[in-house]
Every structure is written in C-alpha cells, then in structure tokens.
Amino acid sequence: MVDFSTARDTIAIVGAGFSGTVLAAALLRRPPAAPTDIVLIERASEMGRGVAYAAREFPYLLNVPAGRLSADAADPGQFLRFAQRRAPRITGEDFLSRELYGAYLQDVLAQAERSAPGDVRLVRVFGEVRRISPGGAGLLLEIAGQPGVSAARVVLALGNPPPGLQPWAEAIREHKAYRHDPWGLPTDLAARHSVLIVGNGLTMADAVSVLTQDPARAPMLHAISRRGLVPLLQTEFRPSALRGDGEALLGQAHSLRRLLEMSRQLAREVEHRGGDWREVVTFVRHLAPTLWQRLPAGERRRFMRHLQAQWDVHRHRMPPQLGARIDSLRRGGSLRIHAGRIEAVTEAGEQLRISWSPRGRHDDRKVSLTVDLIVNATGPDYALARSTDPLQRSLRAAGMICEDELEIGLRTGPHGECIGSDGRITPRLYYLGPMLRAAFWEATAATELRDHADALAAHLATAP
C-alpha cells in the first residue's frame, strides 16, 4: 500500500476522463487549506480523455459548439481560445473534434497543476481500481498489479457505463459480425455489405459517420429503435435568450402533463417572436434538476415510459454537418430508419439474420433482415445491477453504493456522497459523473458535470 505521507491529506479520484480531470483541476485551483495529495487514478493510457475524447483515427465531432464548452465556469471562452491557438479562424459556433477537446482537458489539468500552491500536489497513477474498503481513518483502494492507496476521501468519477447486452445478443455476442463496442468499427466495408445499427441516438449518428466516410464504398445502412426517433439538429441560437426563474414551470412540477403543455406553449410563443424552440429546451434543462426532484415518483416513471425518447431527440442534438449527411443518406435510400423491436438474431453463416416487429403493427408477423454487421449503439446502461465493472460490482456487493428506484443512476447525498444499501451515507466516498441523473436527471453535458465538479471541489476543500 502506498502511503504518500502521514502529515498530508489524500483525496483519491478514480477515473481521469472529463469528470475526474475537471474535479482535479478545480481542487488544484481552489485547494484545501491543509497540505494535500490529489491522487488521480486512470486505467487507460492517457488522462483527460476517457472514452469520449480519446484520440481515434476518425475525427468524431463534439455535439456542442466550441463557445459553450469551457471546463472552467469562471472562464467561458477558455476552450474557444485553446482551439483558436491551433486554428485562428475557428468561431464559437464551430463543432470541433472530440480529440481536440481531450487535448484541451489535458491542458486544463496541466495549467491547474502548475498554478497550485507548493503544499498541494497532483499524483498521477495509471491502473485499475478493483476494490475499495474501509481502512484506518479513511478508505483503502486496491489497484490491479500495483500497491494500494490509502485516502482520506475517495471520489468515483467512472464516466459513462458501457452499453448493455441486449437479450437478443446473448446467443451471438461472440460472432464476428456483432460489435458490442460502437467505437471499434471496421472501415473496409464495401457497398455490397449491409449494416444494422441498433439505436437511433447520437451514437448511431457517430457510427453512420464512420461507416460512410468513403461515399463510394458506403454500405447499406439500417438503424432501429423502439420509436424510430432521430436526434434533431443544433442551430445558432441564443442559449440565454429566455430569462427568469421559471417559477411558472416549477409550480406545475406535480403534473407531467401540465409541464408538457406549458413547455409547448412557451416554444410556440418563442417561435412566434422569431426565436428558436431550442431556447426553450435549454431553459427547461436548467430547471430540470429542480423539476425532477419535485416530480412525484409516479410522474417520473411516466416520463421515463412516455417522454424520455422525445426529450432526448430535442435535448441531445446533432452537429449540422452530421445531420446533413444523415438526411442525404436517407433521401438517397442508403440509410433506412426503422421503428420496432428486435425479437431474435440468429447466425446465417458469416452474416446475422434479424427478426423484428415493426412499431404499430397489430398482427404477429415479423420482418426479417439479414446483414453483414450489427452495431450496438443503444447507449450507456445505467442499471447498477447489470454493471460489468468490477469496482462497481464490488462496491454494490459490499453495500457501499446502491441504485435509485428507477435504476437510472446512483443514490447520492447533497454533496455527492454515495448512499449505501442501508440508506445511509457511506463515509468518505463520493460520486461524480452521469449517474447523478438519479437525483438531477440532467447530468451528462460537459457544463452540467463541470458545475457538479466545482461544487464537489468546494465541499472537499473544506470538509474535515
């Protein structure tokens, strides 16, 4: 076990993707008063990138323009200036590469480290934390193949969980024509090939962009989801055009129906004045944590069942250039969007045969489709009970963390403290990341996670 110093406090952050990196930078900028080691632990080969901003052969685009992606709330133009140092003609409305954003996060961390006081230091550790348990006055972190770490406080910043294995995929999970990881797609498919992408969200759009990068060799593409909804486009709108405390909306938080009616009315009014409905979505998104917390449990379930898909396509939007490509493919017939449910997938030699039920069909007849490749683009599976992550599984088995009643995230306290299976706060263990959606619903965007990181850093800097 690594004991950095008995005279120093130790804060361990497990995960150095966006959340862990931004939290470490915030702690370095506004550190605790006592001498402190901030131990940042990452299982990948680079810090500051995670899965979302990894360096890849294909230039995946960010879904938000450069002017709205600063990792420091006190400096809204920080990322834009970073990008302009590389390409001066970039504007705040440009959609840049995710790889560039990863380089920016690495720079943010490096600058924060350089400006930190001498008695606060950043310790980088590369390895996979397999287990966390109480020990001494804090927690002990077991790292695969390495000495452990003793820390006074630990923050889980594990990023998005991987997609879940769908029931139909159990029998074909090892088949070479099935890709559970939507990031590792082949680039040598010919036009005679066919591909089914399962999921119609932003991950589908990314997969389409990879598979069609050579238009002359682009395969025939199909995409399927239960409702067949595709993300809408980003536009140049004023994200702060609507002002006010939203009290009229908040006052209707007892009824999902009333919230929907008022939001639609507000969008109509904004568009009548020449505005953009996206202004309303942004306004509602800022109120979402309070709305979510005020909604009764039954209304939350109704939202998940009936409105989540509609909210997602309006809230999580595509860059215009990616949307234009998808529209062109659909008009040309080389991308077909389906609404329905996959019933079974069977092997057909080197191909896979899909049997699925179209949405709205009232008979029992199924549609059959045979393809050369199936890509799982269903997005993260937030259900803790189905997690394949060894650390999350061990923490859940030990009762140190637990899922919420809707199985969309982790139960947390007011400062991000993990809540255990006994309903009590697990001492000295915190969580930061998208599974905060259990308490806040909106906790996936960079700016939202940045704000949560700032709040947690302020708490950790003063907590005993």
Side-chain angles (χ1 to χ4, degrees):
M1 176 172 47
V2 177
D3 187 358
F4 294 99
S5 173
T6 57
R8 301 172 66 86
D9 196 7
T10 301
I11 300 173
I13 303 171
V14 184
F18 178 90
S19 294
T21 298
V22 172
L23 174 61
L27 282 167
L28 290 164
R29 288 194 300 266
R30 295 178 293 276
T36 303
D37 286 331
I38 300 167
V39 185
L40 187 57
I41 308 171
E42 171 60 33
R43 59 187 170 189
S45 59
E46 285 190 272
M47 294 194 173
R49 291 191 177 276
V51 174
Y53 310 119
R56 303 181 189 277
E57 181 180 350
F58 183 81
Y60 291 98
L61 294 180
L62 295 160
N63 300 315
V64 178
R68 303 179 209 163
L69 273 175
S70 174
D72 185 351
D75 187 0
Q78 188 183 68
F79 174 55
L80 178 58
R81 292 197 308 276
F82 176 87
Q84 288 173 335
R85 288 199 294 270
R86 286 155 174 76
R89 294 185 179 181
I90 287 174
T91 73
E93 292 299 322
D94 286 335
F95 293 82
L96 307 180
S97 75
R98 296 185 193 178
E99 180 179 356
L100 178 65
Y101 196 72
Y104 159 69
L105 292 176
Q106 292 176 331
D107 185 68
V108 166
L109 183 62
Q111 289 196 38
E113 183 179 15
R114 287 193 293 268
S115 63
D119 61 351
V120 176
R121 65 180 183 179
L122 176 67
V123 180
R124 293 175 172 84
V125 176
F126 288 94
E128 183 174 8
V129 177
R130 304 302 294 266
R131 190 177 188 86
I132 299 174
S133 57
L139 296 169
L140 304 179
L141 294 83
E142 298 178 16
I143 304 176
Q146 296 189 42
V149 171
S150 175
R153 283 155 291 170
V154 175
V155 180
L156 304 174
L158 305 175
N160 264 321
L165 187 69
Q166 303 297 312
W168 51 262
E170 289 283 354
I172 52 97
R173 61 188 304 176
E174 302 299 330
H175 197 283
K176 67 178 183 180
Y178 173 68
R179 293 290 190 279
H180 189 69
D181 179 3
W183 302 105
L185 300 182
T187 58
D188 57 350
L189 293 176
R192 66 179 183 277
H193 290 127
S194 57
V195 179
L196 174 67
I197 304 171
V198 184
N200 279 327
L202 291 174
T203 307
M204 176 275 289
D206 285 334
V208 168
S209 65
V210 173
L211 294 169
T212 61
Q213 56 185 301
D214 182 356
R217 292 178 55 83
M220 178 64 207
L221 299 175
H222 299 264
I224 186 171
S225 65
R226 294 293 295 273
R227 292 175 174 81
L229 300 174
V230 175
L232 300 176
L233 299 184
Q234 288 279 25
T235 60
E236 292 188 24
F237 70 99
R238 292 181 297 157
S240 58
L242 284 175
R243 299 188 180 276
D245 56 11
E247 197 56 43
L249 280 171
L250 293 174
Q252 302 299 321
H254 62 282
S255 168
L256 193 61
R257 184 182 298 275
R258 286 290 299 141
L259 280 174
L260 181 60
E261 290 174 353
M262 292 189 68
S263 298
R264 285 173 169 168
Q265 179 182 343
L266 186 58
R268 287 193 292 268
E269 292 174 358
V270 166
E271 291 186 325
H272 181 71
R273 297 196 302 266
D276 193 315
W277 58 262
R278 294 162 183 81
E279 300 167 22
V280 178
V281 171
T282 298
F283 184 66
V284 174
R285 178 167 65 86
H286 291 154
L287 300 174
T290 304
L291 288 169
W292 185 252
Q293 290 160 8
R294 291 187 183 183
L295 278 174
E299 293 294 89
R300 291 189 192 186
R301 291 191 183 92
R302 289 184 64 203
F303 173 83
M304 297 288 295
R305 187 181 310 116
H306 300 296
L307 289 181
Q308 181 187 353
Q310 288 284 353
W311 171 255
D312 285 347
V313 299
H314 287 80
R315 161 69 181 88
H316 301 286
R317 301 183 291 269
M318 287 188 288
Q321 54 267 56
L322 182 51
R325 177 183 291 190
I326 287 178
D327 286 344
S328 175
L329 292 169
R330 294 182 71 176
R331 289 195 303 270
S334 55
L335 170 62
R336 297 178 183 174
I337 303 295
H338 305 288
R341 180 177 61 194
I342 295 178
E343 303 291 350
V345 178
T346 55
E347 295 185 16
E350 295 186 351
Q351 296 179 302
L352 293 171
R353 183 175 295 112
I354 302 99
S355 174
W356 62 282
S357 300
R359 182 176 177 83
R361 176 173 285 185
H362 300 294
D363 56 46
D364 294 330
R365 288 185 298 170
K366 307 293 188 294
V367 176
S368 180
L369 175 66
T370 300
V371 297
D372 298 286
L373 184 70
I374 294 179
V375 179
N376 183 353
T378 55
D381 184 356
Y382 293 102
L384 186 61
R386 294 192 294 268
S387 175
T388 59
D389 181 76
L391 178 57
Q392 290 189 27
R393 291 172 66 89
S394 69
L395 289 170
R396 183 174 185 268
M400 297 174 69
I401 61 174
C402 70
E403 60 269 42
D404 70 307
E405 61 182 5
L406 294 178
E407 294 189 322
I408 61 171
L410 294 181
R411 292 187 63 197
T412 53
H415 301 292
E417 305 96 331
C418 291
I419 293 178
S421 57
D422 60 0
R424 299 179 181 180
I425 287 176
T426 299
R428 302 181 179 274
L429 184 64
Y430 298 81
Y431 174 80
L432 174 65
M435 293 179 80
L436 286 172
R437 66 204 301 264
F440 300 98
W441 179 249
E442 282 297 315
T444 56
T447 52
E448 294 155 1
L449 292 173
R450 175 200 68 193
D451 293 343
H452 284 298
D454 284 344
L456 179 53
H459 172 74
L460 292 173
T462 57

